[in-house]
Amino acid sequence: MKISKYNLLILAAMVMLWCQDLSAGKVNFEGVSQKVIEVKPEKNTGLDAIFVLYSAEEVAISYDSSQSEPSHWYRYSNLGGGYAEEIAGIEQSGSVSVLKEVQGDMGYIIETGDNRYYFWVVDYSKHRMTLDSIENSGRNDCGEAELIVFGYGDDIKYFTINGQQRVLSREASLIYNSLEWNEEAKMWQQIECRKVLDSFSDQLIIMPAPLCDTEFTLQGDKFLTTWREELSATSDVYRAYAVDARTEAVQQNVEEEKSNIISSGGSSGLGGSAPSDISFYAYVTDAVIHHEWQMAEDEGFENVIYRFNQQDLDYTFDEEGVYYLRYIGSNSDGGCEVYSDTYTVNIGASELKCPNAFSPGVTEGVNDEWKVGYRSIIEFDCTIFNRWGVEMCHFTDPSMGWDGKYKGKLVKPGVYYYVIRAKGADGKIYKMSGDINIIRFNEHSGGSSSENEEM
């Protein structure tokens, strides 16, 4: 067979190789000082295997094809299998053929009849990893951390059967700690991070900036680890510089607890009826030193009306309007900042409505309490009298009401009177008075009664 034949064979191999039955063929390495590491390459390389030798010196390869036909061996370099050259001096004994002198960092093709076996041999002794130390570069950055590696671990290159260059990953590991947000626990938790390096040399290693103080440990590579000669180096403590934060706003659900609040008909977001108590919380990473909550009247925060230098904020909104709040956290020198999402608080205009009748003691839970309907009332005073001017009830919380009792007993049906003085979050003053009709079903007459009897 002439070598030029491979220009056609290589193209066919990319399509047909993985359909061939090569289970009968077996490669063995002789004269090795350490275990031969086999790496399974991607299918599109056309290779059946990549073998990594501790050293190719004085190593031989034998191949048992399990066939009576002799095997032909070919060797190729970076030009690919189309330029493979047949290797002379192959020893053949039955189905076993032997290559006495292996050259590392080369590709090999073994052809037996219609079967072909493609593999690449790496001489690791030419790419041996060294590692003296690793150091922090000293450059502070909000997004990345830099390490200087004093060691060597070049690209371990190999070539596919059609001459494409690939890099065999060393899978060296850079291990360090950082923080990860746990939404369920509402806290930052420390985690171990691992960056896998295909290769390295006297250069910078760049990774996402850790969010906590940590050491960096570089160890490997996977070949030395397999041979129990793993190298390792650890840096000095890296001081966290980058910052991050999560925030939340918590408001008591007053609309459900106080059923007499008049809905504004707007969104179900923060705010609603004043006074509205809202707590804002910031959960920050280790390097955050400075805290500020900003409140503005515009979404772009061009007009900040309040600044609160604290991590958490409790605030009562008692004036009508739309307010925007956000959190800003920064590290010790202010070089890194983190901004929260913007929270919108909408406090509606005031409103106050008074019913004129109710029926206590008739049907429990149905119209058995006199309550005003209100929204955004920040000051309130209500007194209820009978027709002789005797005070029946007095309360200063608009969510409260009158149960129709005086000194623990239900009053008689009839007309009663209320006087209300109130103030809204929008500054509106309310001076209201009117009558309240207590209606109670009369069992004897079969109708209702509202006659006001003397107490």
Side-chain angles (χ1 to χ4, degrees):
M1 184 189 69
K2 296 182 179 180
I3 298 304
S4 60
K5 173 183 176 181
Y6 272 95
N7 290 318
L8 296 176
L9 288 177
I10 295 306
L11 180 61
M14 296 298 295
V15 179
M16 301 177 58
L17 177 63
W18 300 99
C19 300
Q20 295 177 0
D21 180 11
L22 297 176
S23 58
K26 184 178 181 182
V27 171
N28 287 303
F29 290 84
E30 302 170 2
V32 294
S33 58
Q34 289 277 15
K35 173 185 176 181
V36 176
I37 300 173
E38 180 178 352
V39 179
K40 190 68 176 177
E42 295 180 356
K43 288 185 177 182
N44 60 11
T45 64
L47 297 171
D48 292 290
I50 299 173
F51 297 104
V52 181
L53 308 183
Y54 189 80
S55 173
E57 188 175 355
E58 298 183 358
V59 172
I61 307 177
S62 65
Y63 177 73
D64 188 350
S65 67
S66 299
Q67 298 183 36
S68 58
E69 298 180 61
S71 296
H72 297 273
W73 290 59
Y74 303 87
R75 183 163 44 222
Y76 73 90
S77 60
N78 61 317
L79 298 178
Y83 294 88
E85 297 181 356
E86 187 167 5
I87 303 172
I90 299 297
E91 296 183 0
Q92 186 83 39
S93 177
S95 63
V96 178
S97 56
V98 179
L99 171 64
K100 286 293 187 181
E101 295 183 1
V102 175
Q103 291 185 34
D105 296 343
M106 298 291 286
Y108 291 85
I109 304 170
I110 304 176
E111 182 182 64
T112 309
D114 293 331
N115 289 337
R116 288 173 297 279
Y117 186 70
Y118 303 82
F119 61 98
W120 186 272
V121 174
V122 173
D123 184 351
Y124 184 82
S125 67
K126 298 178 180 178
H127 310 278
R128 186 176 180 87
M129 171 180 166
T130 63
L131 182 59
D132 296 324
S133 63
I134 57 175
E135 296 179 2
N136 301 322
S137 71
R139 185 176 77 88
N140 290 324
D141 187 270
C142 299
E144 297 176 335
E146 291 182 346
L147 288 175
I148 302 174
V149 180
F150 296 93
Y152 184 75
D154 66 331
D155 288 344
I156 302 177
K157 300 174 184 177
Y158 68 96
F159 293 86
T160 68
I161 62 173
N162 61 358
Q164 292 182 347
Q165 179 181 298
R166 301 288 177 89
V167 174
L168 182 63
S169 178
R170 292 179 175 273
E171 295 183 24
S173 296
L174 181 66
I175 304 169
Y176 59 98
N177 293 327
S178 190
L179 299 178
E180 181 179 71
W181 174 248
N182 185 320
E183 180 64 31
E184 183 177 354
K186 298 292 183 185
M187 63 182 297
W188 292 94
Q189 295 181 331
Q190 190 171 104
I191 59 169
E192 182 180 272
C193 301
R194 186 179 295 262
K195 179 181 176 67
V196 177
L197 305 177
D198 292 337
S199 61
F200 66 91
S201 57
D202 287 341
Q203 60 181 3
L204 292 177
I205 296 178
I206 300 176
M207 78 290 298
L211 296 173
C212 62
D213 294 351
T214 185
E215 296 176 336
F216 293 94
T217 297
L218 179 59
Q219 61 186 31
D221 54 21
K222 73 174 180 180
F223 307 112
L224 291 178
T225 300
T226 300
W227 295 321
R228 298 185 178 182
E229 296 182 11
E230 180 181 84
L231 301 178
S232 179
T234 300
S235 71
D236 294 334
V237 175
Y238 170 91
R239 301 300 177 187
Y241 189 76
V243 296
D244 202 352
R246 298 291 186 275
T247 58
E248 67 172 339
V250 179
Q251 177 181 358
Q252 186 180 13
N253 199 347
V254 294
E255 303 259 349
E256 292 183 3
E257 295 183 0
K258 300 178 181 180
S259 58
N260 56 329
I261 291 181
I262 300 172
S263 173
S264 62
S267 65
S268 58
L270 297 172
S273 177
S276 180
D277 296 320
I278 306 177
S279 296
F280 299 88
Y281 301 100
Y283 308 94
V284 301
T285 56
D286 294 359
V288 177
I289 302 298
H290 307 295
H291 312 275
E292 181 176 277
W293 282 96
Q294 296 180 347
M295 184 187 301
E297 295 178 332
D298 62 288
E299 199 168 2
F301 289 85
E302 294 181 2
N303 181 25
V304 177
I305 55 178
Y306 295 114
R307 299 177 187 270
F308 307 92
N309 297 122
Q310 55 200 71
Q311 184 170 344
D312 300 326
L313 171 65
D314 297 321
Y315 193 83
T316 299
F317 294 86
D318 56 7
E319 293 185 14
E320 179 200 12
V322 179
Y323 303 91
Y324 302 93
L325 291 95
R326 68 181 180 185
Y327 170 81
I328 303 175
S330 60
N331 57 9
S332 58
D333 64 5
C336 298
E337 291 183 329
V338 57
Y339 287 75
S340 74
D341 293 335
T342 298
Y343 295 95
T344 303
V345 180
N346 195 329
I347 302 299
S350 68
E351 189 174 356
L352 186 59
K353 295 180 179 180
C354 300
N356 61 5
F358 74 120
S359 54
V362 178
T363 304
E364 185 177 355
V366 179
N367 198 32
D368 58 355
E369 188 174 11
W370 185 86
K371 284 186 174 184
V372 301
Y374 76 98
R375 180 178 63 245
S376 294
I377 298 297
I378 59 174
E379 294 180 13
F380 183 81
D381 186 279
C382 177
T383 305
I384 299 174
F385 305 91
N386 65 8
R387 64 179 179 175
W388 295 284
V390 178
E391 184 179 303
M392 300 286 100
C393 181
H394 175 259
F395 51 95
T396 58
D397 184 345
S399 68
M400 305 298 290
W402 181 37
D403 59 4
K405 293 180 180 181
Y406 178 70
K407 295 184 178 180
K409 295 182 179 181
L410 287 172
V411 301
K412 301 294 184 178
V415 180
Y416 295 81
Y417 305 91
Y418 66 85
V419 175
I420 294 176
R421 299 292 181 266
K423 181 180 180 181
D426 49 7
K428 185 176 180 179
I429 301 298
Y430 293 85
K431 295 180 180 180
M432 304 175 67
S433 60
D435 57 81
I436 305 170
N437 288 281
I438 292 183
I439 303 172
R440 191 170 297 122
F441 183 78
N442 190 322
E443 295 181 357
H444 299 290
S445 64
S448 62
S449 173
S450 62
E451 181 182 354
N452 194 359
E453 303 177 15
E454 186 175 345
M455 295 179 54

